């Protein structure tokens, strides 16, 4: 019935199309292969798919008819993997909220070459970040907040050839180890790490290469500042939030002397 209804939209132009349910209790049973084929003849600016329990064989047809939509939001879905990405996709903003990923699907997402904004949030099963983003030259914003990520080697290896990344949000995750290697993301302006247990900051200057950064939030990250050069290199910093952390001796004053603002 839903597939037939969507086929009846052929030829229409819509700003936003929402398909699904709005409450978990009414979550549709499953997403069948080819369900969205009727949308191939619909011109949309934004498409929202909400509240489906399961996807048939992690369907490879999800993006077949929405690859030319500028904004795609996938909300509260039993989606474990990103479906096949069509060639020359025009998706510029993609949100995956409350999905069922266990690993950040960076390889598949790297096929969205026009992507500018990516948000993967509130995924309770999302713990791993073993894949790397590659070749997303238009990407400016990544929000991976409110998951359960635990990974090390942050943050250059995860973003290969993503030179325009400006905003990175890793807040409200589990454990992240910063190595000080930000070579691939040296143009970052905003970095939010609040309420994520961090390893690395405080002992040595892990932010040294982020000379363009203007906003840094490391509040409630269990960071113990032992070095007077913890914030060395942050020459453009305008906002620093660090509530809930501890400073050894006179290291607080020493760190502020090393900031230019």
């Amino acid at each position: 019935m839903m597939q037939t209804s969507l086929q009846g939209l052929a030829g229409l132009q819509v700003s936003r199309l929402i398909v699904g349910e709005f409450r978990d209790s009414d979550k549709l049973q499953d997403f069948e292969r080819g369900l969205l084929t009727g949308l191939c003849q619909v011109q949309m600016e934004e498409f929202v798919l909400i509240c489906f329990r399961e996807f048939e064989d992690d369907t490879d047809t999800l993006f077949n008819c929405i690859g030319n939509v500028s904004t795609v939001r996938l909300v509260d879905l039993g989606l474990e993997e990103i479906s096949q990405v069509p060639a020359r996709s025009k998706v510029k903003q993609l949100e995956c909220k409350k999905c069922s990923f266990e690993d950040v699907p960076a390889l598949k997402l790297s096929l969205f070459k026009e992507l500018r904004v990516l948000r993967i949030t509130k995924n309770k099963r999302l713990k791993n970040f073993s894949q790397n983003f590659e070749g997303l030259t238009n990407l400016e914003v990544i929000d991976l907040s409110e998951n359960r990520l635990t990974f090390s080697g942050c943050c250059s290896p995860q973003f290969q050839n993503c030179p325009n990344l400006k905003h990175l949000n890793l807040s409200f995750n589990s454990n992240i180890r910063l190595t000080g290697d930000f070579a691939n993301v040296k143009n970052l302006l905003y970095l939010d790490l609040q309420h994520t247990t961090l390893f690395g900051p405080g002992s040595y200057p892990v932010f040294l290469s982020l000379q363009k950064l203007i906003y840094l939030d490391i509040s409630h990250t269990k960071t113990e500042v032992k070095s007077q050069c913890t914030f060395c290199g942050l020459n453009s910093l305008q906002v620093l939030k660090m509530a809930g952390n501890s400073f050894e001796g006179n290291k607080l004053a020493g760190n502020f002397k090393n900031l230019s603002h």
Side-chain angles (χ1 to χ4, degrees):
M1 183 181 298
M2 179 177 288
Q3 187 175 24
T4 301
S5 299
L6 293 176
Q7 289 173 346
L9 300 177
L12 294 181
Q13 284 186 315
V14 295
S15 59
R16 176 188 296 172
L17 178 62
I18 302 175
V19 175
E21 297 288 346
F22 289 92
R23 295 181 298 176
D24 283 340
S25 59
D26 295 329
K27 188 178 289 188
L28 297 177
Q29 181 63 34
D30 53 27
F31 182 100
E32 297 179 358
R33 187 179 300 273
L35 178 63
L36 302 180
T37 53
L39 298 181
C40 287
Q41 306 302 319
V42 180
Q43 295 185 40
M44 294 175 285
E45 295 179 13
E46 179 178 351
F47 175 73
V48 182
L49 186 65
I50 184 170
C51 285
F52 279 84
R53 289 182 182 174
E54 297 179 359
F55 281 70
E56 181 183 273
D57 299 324
D58 290 319
T59 177
D60 280 335
T61 66
L62 176 58
F63 290 104
N64 281 8
C65 290
I66 59 174
N68 291 327
V69 180
S70 178
T71 300
V72 176
R73 298 181 62 231
L74 308 176
V75 181
D76 205 0
L77 305 181
L79 185 65
E80 298 180 358
E81 298 180 9
I82 290 292
S83 300
Q84 185 75 27
V85 179
R88 296 180 294 277
S89 168
K90 295 182 180 179
V91 176
K92 291 181 172 59
Q93 297 189 47
L94 176 61
E95 178 180 4
C96 304
K97 180 179 180 181
K98 294 184 179 179
C99 291
S100 298
F101 304 137
E102 296 183 0
D103 197 338
V104 178
L107 291 177
K108 281 280 189 72
L109 292 173
S110 294
L111 299 175
F112 289 100
K113 296 302 182 183
E114 297 296 320
L115 200 62
R116 297 179 184 276
V117 178
L118 172 63
R119 303 185 191 279
I120 303 177
T121 61
K122 296 186 177 181
N123 292 264
K124 294 181 179 180
R125 298 173 60 184
L126 185 55
K127 300 179 180 180
N128 303 312
F129 198 163
S130 60
Q131 303 177 24
N132 299 329
F133 291 98
E134 298 181 3
L136 292 176
T137 56
N138 296 307
L139 189 64
E140 297 181 359
V141 177
I142 288 190
D143 184 352
L144 297 174
S145 63
E146 297 185 75
N147 300 303
R148 296 183 178 178
L149 289 173
T150 295
F151 66 100
S152 59
C154 182
C155 291
S156 190
Q158 291 80 16
F159 304 101
Q160 303 289 329
N161 193 22
C162 302
N164 291 309
L165 186 61
K166 302 293 193 304
H167 300 245
L168 178 58
N169 189 346
L170 293 168
S171 63
F172 293 91
N173 278 288
S174 295
N175 303 286
I176 297 178
R177 181 175 296 278
L178 304 181
T179 62
D181 182 6
F182 287 91
N184 289 332
V185 291
K186 60 184 179 181
N187 292 320
L188 275 180
L189 299 178
Y190 297 85
L191 178 58
D192 192 345
L193 298 163
Q194 63 175 302
H195 291 274
T196 297
T197 299
L198 299 181
F199 299 91
S203 300
Y204 57 97
V206 296
F207 305 114
L208 195 60
S209 60
L210 294 177
Q211 298 188 15
K212 296 182 180 180
L213 198 72
I214 62 175
Y215 178 97
L216 174 63
D217 192 342
I218 57 169
S219 303
H220 305 283
T221 55
K222 298 183 180 179
T223 296
E224 184 178 355
V225 178
K226 300 178 180 180
S227 168
Q228 290 190 353
C229 205
T230 297
F231 305 113
C232 285
L234 297 176
N235 300 326
S236 302
L237 197 66
Q238 298 177 14
V239 178
L240 172 61
K241 296 184 178 182
M242 50 187 181
N245 298 312
S246 61
F247 289 81
E248 182 181 285
N250 63 349
K251 298 300 189 299
L252 177 61
N255 272 281
F256 284 137
K257 288 180 181 179
N258 288 319
L259 290 176
S260 59
H261 293 75

